[in-house]
Structures are given as C-alpha cells and as structure tokens.
Amino acid sequence: MKREREAQLAQARENLAKLTDEVELAIHTAYNKLERTEQMLKVSEEVVALRSESNRVLQQELLQGAALKSQAAMAAAQEYDAKALLLQSQLNYSQAHDEFIYAMGLTPE
C-alpha cells in the first residue's frame, strides 16, 4: 500500500513537472509572439506616417503642377496600403495579446 502511494506520488510529481514545462513554454511562445507583433505594429505606424506625408507632399505638388496625377494617385494608393497593413498589425497584436493572457491563465478583456 505504501509503495503504491509512493508510486502515485512520483507519477503526480512527474505529471506536474511536465505540465509546468508545457505552461512555461506556452507562456514564453505567446510572449515572443506578442513582442514580434508589437514591433510590427510600431513599424506599421511609422510606414503610415511616412506614406501619409509622401501623399500630402505629392498632392501639394499636383496642385502646383509639379507632379503628375498618376504620381499623386500612386502616393494615395500607397498610403491606403500602409493603413491596411496597420489595421492587420493591430489585429495581430490584439490576438497575440489575448493568446498571452490566455497562456497566463487569465481571461482576455
């Protein structure tokens, strides 16, 4: 009876160690993803700022006759593309944040 209980205790400790390792790995993985998506979000914000300024300058040049309509249209399209990338980055970050919270054993907001 005692040996059986000791074996059960040893098995429980082994299961606990395995589970602890799995949780630590899940948290570490989720945290790394959160950091990556946060960096991508920052880059996307910078790209939007640059594309918006470029578009602003080209629209002004178009009004002054210093740029072609096609150049201004391209600048506007690039700004919209950058904004779409920013929205995707925001979504990815939000999902990564929720995955991290879940890995920590909490409920996402």
Side-chain angles (χ1 to χ4, degrees):
M1 182 66 100
K2 184 178 178 183
R3 285 186 181 171
E4 185 178 317
R5 295 291 181 218
E6 289 173 351
Q8 289 174 343
L9 179 59
Q11 183 65 45
R13 285 181 177 152
E14 185 178 319
N15 291 343
L16 178 60
K18 182 179 177 186
L19 184 58
T20 300
D21 289 346
E22 289 173 2
V23 169
E24 286 177 1
L25 178 60
I27 290 171
H28 184 70
T29 300
Y31 183 76
N32 286 343
K33 183 176 181 181
L34 183 62
E35 283 187 322
R36 282 192 316 274
T37 58
E38 182 179 31
Q39 290 301 318
M40 188 60 191
L41 181 58
K42 289 176 183 177
V43 168
S44 296
E45 289 169 346
E46 291 175 14
V47 170
V48 166
L50 292 171
R51 294 296 188 194
S52 295
E53 178 60 14
S54 176
N55 186 31
R56 185 193 68 74
V57 168
L58 275 165
Q59 297 304 324
Q60 188 65 34
E61 288 178 354
L62 178 63
L63 291 174
Q64 297 170 354
L68 299 174
K69 284 185 181 181
S70 61
Q71 290 172 311
M74 180 61 79
Q78 288 174 337
E79 181 181 0
Y80 289 127
D81 285 344
K83 287 180 178 180
L85 179 61
L86 176 59
L87 289 173
Q88 184 64 53
S89 295
Q90 289 170 334
L91 175 62
N92 291 343
Y93 177 78
S94 180
Q95 290 173 331
H97 181 265
D98 286 351
E99 288 173 18
F100 178 68
I101 295 298
Y102 181 78
M104 294 288 292
L106 304 172
T107 303
E109 298 170 2

